[in-house]
Amino acid sequence: MKNYLILFAAVILIFAGIVLFTGFLGNQFGKTVELIVLGIVAVVLLVLYIKSKRS
């Protein structure tokens, strides 16, 4: 049970980091850059997910 809580907390912290980072970029460079970076992050996460399923 403790491992699940640690994993859950780690996922929430990573998600919060991604949101804060892209929000900062959006404020500095505009919403277009924010959406592009979110798209890149989504593609990277998808590739990591597919690689983990194949192994």
Side-chain angles (χ1 to χ4, degrees):
M1 180 70 179
K2 185 178 179 182
N3 289 339
Y4 292 116
L5 289 175
I6 293 171
L7 181 62
F8 179 74
V11 168
I12 294 299
L13 287 174
I14 290 169
F15 177 73
I18 291 169
V19 169
L20 287 173
F21 177 69
T22 57
F24 171 76
L25 289 177
N27 288 337
Q28 296 297 319
F29 302 108
K31 294 296 177 185
T32 305
V33 172
E34 180 179 3
L35 291 175
I36 290 170
V37 172
L38 277 173
I40 291 169
V41 168
V43 168
V44 167
L45 290 174
L46 179 64
V47 167
L48 289 173
Y49 176 73
I50 291 171
K51 286 178 99 174
S52 72
K53 286 293 184 181
R54 288 189 178 178
S55 60

